Amino acid sequence: MDKKIIGLAAFMGGIAVILGAFGAHGLKAVLDENQLLTFETGVRYQIYHALFLLFVGAVPILTSKTKKIIGYLVGFGVLFFSGSIYLLATNGLTAVDFKFLGPITPLGGVLLIAAWFTVGYQAIFVKKGI
């Protein structure tokens, strides 16, 4: 499981770097300052959670089952949170209106929070091999 979590972290981190560069260079001419800041928020949260997954994959005190749960929470959390932010920030650039994704963003945030709380719960309350 450690390999899969670290692989997911590396993939998410690499995509975050690509999207960050794309936002800074490719979107600068077509988005206003507020839209760029919104896009950067998605990138920032994606990179934070890629680093979080690196931590999760590296710590020996979490069980494979716990790591798997955290991987799913973070994977879907970033997809829903950052993914919807990317689409909402660039909404005016396509023929598709992505405003319907607005409610998905907080759902992604809840999944990310749940991942952090899962680690906290395991660290505080579970005695044998979290």
Side-chain angles (χ1 to χ4, degrees), residues 22-92:
F22 177 65
H25 302 289
L27 295 177
K28 195 172 189 175
V30 294
L31 297 181
D32 65 34
E33 186 177 332
N34 193 34
Q35 291 168 315
L36 280 172
L37 288 172
T38 300
F39 193 88
E40 287 174 13
T41 297
V43 171
R44 193 170 47 252
Y45 273 79
Q46 184 170 337
I47 201 75
Y48 291 160
H49 287 88
L51 294 171
F52 175 61
L53 282 180
L54 282 176
F55 163 77
V56 167
V59 296
I61 60 173
L62 295 170
T63 64
S64 289
K65 181 180 177 184
T66 300
K67 289 179 182 187
K68 185 175 183 178
I69 291 167
I70 293 167
Y72 279 113
L73 289 170
V74 171
F76 284 109
V78 166
L79 180 66
F80 294 165
F81 184 82
S82 293
S84 65
I85 286 178
Y86 299 142
L87 293 173
L88 289 167
T90 60
N91 195 43

